[in-house]
Amino acid sequence: DLRMSRGLGDVYKRQIIDSGINKCYNEFKDASIIECTMETNDEIGHGTAVASIIHKFVPDANLFIFKLFYEESFFNPFKVAI
């Protein structure tokens, strides 16, 4: 079982460094999402899929989203540095 047991007061933090996240999906309606880069909208879909899997198994986790991969160049260090 991949679900984590937790004690009182425990807060899980999961950093997702990927293509961003599409927060409009129903599975994220009760998720705690913290956007850590200027732009986090997911044009590729991979980051959203990863976040969905993590949220499924650790629904109380804070999801810290870092967008590193972009559709037009897959990785754009100039956008990350800003």
Side-chain angles (χ1 to χ4, degrees):
D1 189 356
L2 294 176
R3 294 182 190 269
M4 300 177 143
S5 61
R6 60 178 223 162
L8 294 175
D10 288 344
V11 175
Y12 295 108
K13 298 176 184 174
R14 298 293 177 256
Q15 295 81 25
I16 302 170
I17 302 170
D18 208 307
S19 61
I21 191 169
N22 186 340
K23 298 183 301 183
C24 296
Y25 282 26
N26 284 336
E27 60 259 26
F28 299 127
K29 66 181 177 207
D30 61 343
S32 174
I33 297 173
I34 297 93
E35 298 172 90
C36 299
T37 51
M38 295 289 287
E39 179 187 343
T40 59
N41 187 42
D42 188 1
E43 297 113 5
I44 299 171
H46 189 269
T48 300
V50 170
S52 177
I53 292 167
I54 292 171
H55 182 61
K56 177 180 177 182
F57 289 105
V58 192
D60 295 335
N62 293 325
L63 303 176
F64 292 84
I65 308 299
F66 295 86
K67 183 171 182 171
L68 187 63
F69 300 108
Y70 292 81
E71 185 176 35
E72 67 270 4
S73 65
F74 200 64
F75 173 68
N76 187 333
F78 297 108
K79 287 189 176 182
V80 175
I82 294 175

